[in-house]
């Protein structure tokens, strides 16, 4: 008689613990709201759907795929809700998740600031080496930083670098300042909205600065100082789901993980 090997059941709180060990909550910025968003963590995980944003369609996808856990980069809840109804997309999403018994967990700026987090993933996609934080800081004895810098294997002309970024990050377009007339070797990175680190990147000796979005006036005054390359917030961070997958598969290999098929980018390029 053959006996089927039983897999250990894993509770949601175990997955949450693994995520928070990788990117501790104290690393998040003061305005952020990372961590548990919705749900009961004593429940057993039926599957984890990994995404950038939490929307009604993502909750529908989780239910369809039999996942009672959604792990996102951007928190669904940034500010307190005064009601839960059908008045806004956030309220509808919260209501649907509660109705379906789906737990929502978010790892946001704590994952941005953590070693091997979002910016390290971008550096990996760009095939950079010698990657480390620039403008480092210490939080509760942990070394962290909002951006990283690394080096290309071979120097690139500015136009080739932009094409390389678009290809590796699967971005449709890039907004750049005047093309740099020297080779690009050192690349500074800050996923999402990173213009607050532009001057730090210049001070650190970067030839190029890659981020997701920047204010219009920030582009002025950096001609031939540094190559600015802005590819879109979603485009800069959508590979974050791969980080979640690797963390969960290493700590809780029994848990089935699914990368979302729902494109939550609210911006289209025409």
């Amino acid at each position: 008689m053959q006996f089927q090997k039983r897999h250990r059941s894993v509770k949601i709180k175990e997955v949450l613990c693994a995520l928070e060990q990788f990117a501790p909550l104290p690393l998040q910025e003061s305005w952020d709201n990372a961590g548990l968003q919705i749900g009961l963590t004593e429940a057993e995980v039926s599957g984890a759907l990994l995404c950038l944003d939490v929307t009604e369609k993502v909750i529908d996808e989780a239910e369809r795929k039999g996942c009672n856990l959604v792990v996102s980069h951007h928190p669904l809840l940034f500010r307190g809700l005064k009601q839960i109804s059908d008045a806004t997309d956030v309220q509808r999403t919260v209501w649907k998740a509660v109705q379906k018994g789906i737990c929502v967990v978010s790892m946001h700026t704590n994952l941005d600031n953590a070693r091997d987090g979002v910016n390290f993933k971008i550096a990996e996609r760009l095939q950079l080496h010698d990657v480390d934080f620039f403008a480092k800081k210490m939080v509760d004895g942990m070394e962290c930083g909002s951006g990283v810098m690394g080096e290309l294997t071979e120097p690139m002309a500015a136009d080739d670098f932009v094409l390389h970024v678009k290809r590796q990050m699967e971005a449709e377009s890039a907004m750049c300042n005047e093309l740099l007339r020297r080779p690009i070797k050192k690349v500074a990175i800050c996923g999402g909205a990173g213009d607050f680190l532009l001057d730090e990147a210049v001070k650190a000796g970067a030839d190029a600065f890659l981020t997701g979005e920047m204010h219009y006036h920030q582009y002025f005054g950096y001609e031939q100082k540094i190559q600015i390359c802005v590819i879109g917030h979603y485009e800069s961070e959508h590979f974050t789901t791969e980080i979640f997958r690797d963390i969960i598969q290493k700590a809780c290999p029994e848990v089935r993980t699914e990368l979302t098929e729902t494109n939550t980018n609210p911006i289209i390029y025409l």
Side-chain angles (χ1 to χ4, degrees), residues 84-260:
I84 299 177
S85 65
D86 62 352
T88 67
D89 57 343
V90 171
Q91 290 181 32
R92 290 191 296 272
T93 304
V94 170
W95 180 246
K96 181 170 284 191
V98 172
Q99 281 185 313
K100 305 297 184 182
I102 295 172
C103 187
V104 178
V105 169
S106 303
M107 298 284 115
H108 191 211
T109 53
N110 53 321
L111 192 65
D112 291 331
N113 291 332
R115 183 167 294 280
D116 296 324
V118 176
N119 297 310
F120 286 86
K121 171 58 71 174
I122 298 172
E124 177 187 309
R125 296 287 307 180
L126 297 184
Q127 301 169 353
L128 304 184
H129 61 86
D130 296 332
V131 179
D132 203 356
F133 298 116
F134 68 95
K136 295 180 184 179
K137 54 188 176 182
M138 298 293 292
V139 175
D140 288 1
M142 293 174 284
E143 188 179 71
C144 60
S146 299
V148 303
M149 187 162 68
E151 295 190 6
L152 293 162
T153 303
E154 296 291 338
M156 286 185 176
D159 54 350
D160 290 332
F161 170 74
V162 174
L163 290 174
H164 175 66
V165 169
K166 289 172 60 179
R167 181 172 57 251
Q168 294 303 116
M169 298 302 296
E170 298 179 6
E172 292 186 47
S173 63
M175 293 186 290
C176 305
N177 63 341
E178 178 181 271
L179 291 180
L180 202 64
R181 293 191 292 272
R182 69 170 190 268
I184 291 173
K185 179 74 170 177
K186 292 185 177 181
V187 181
I189 296 168
C190 183
D195 56 11
F196 67 99
L197 277 180
L198 180 56
D199 286 331
E200 294 290 346
V202 173
K203 290 177 185 177
D207 301 307
F209 179 65
L210 172 64
T211 189
E213 60 178 286
M214 272 182 41
H215 290 89
Y216 171 79
H217 292 285
Q218 281 292 101
Y219 288 84
F220 287 96
Y222 293 91
E223 296 82 4
Q224 300 309 314
K225 289 184 180 179
I226 193 167
Q227 182 63 62
I228 297 170
C229 185
V230 180
I231 59 173
H233 199 122
Y234 178 91
E235 287 79 3
S236 73
E237 295 184 328
H238 65 116
F239 292 108
T240 301
T241 54
E242 296 177 3
I243 305 174
F244 294 145
R245 179 192 60 197
D246 293 345
I247 295 168
I248 295 171
Q249 288 183 350
K250 181 178 180 180
C252 307
E254 302 87 355
V255 173
R256 174 173 58 92
T257 55
E258 301 271 358
L259 303 185
T260 185

Side-chain angles (χ1 to χ4, degrees), residues 64-82:
R64 189 169 64 250
K65 292 182 174 179
C67 297
N68 66 346
L69 173 62
V70 169
V71 180
S72 73
H73 181 45
H74 296 144
L76 174 61
L77 301 173
F78 269 109
R79 302 169 185 85
L81 297 178
K82 294 189 176 182

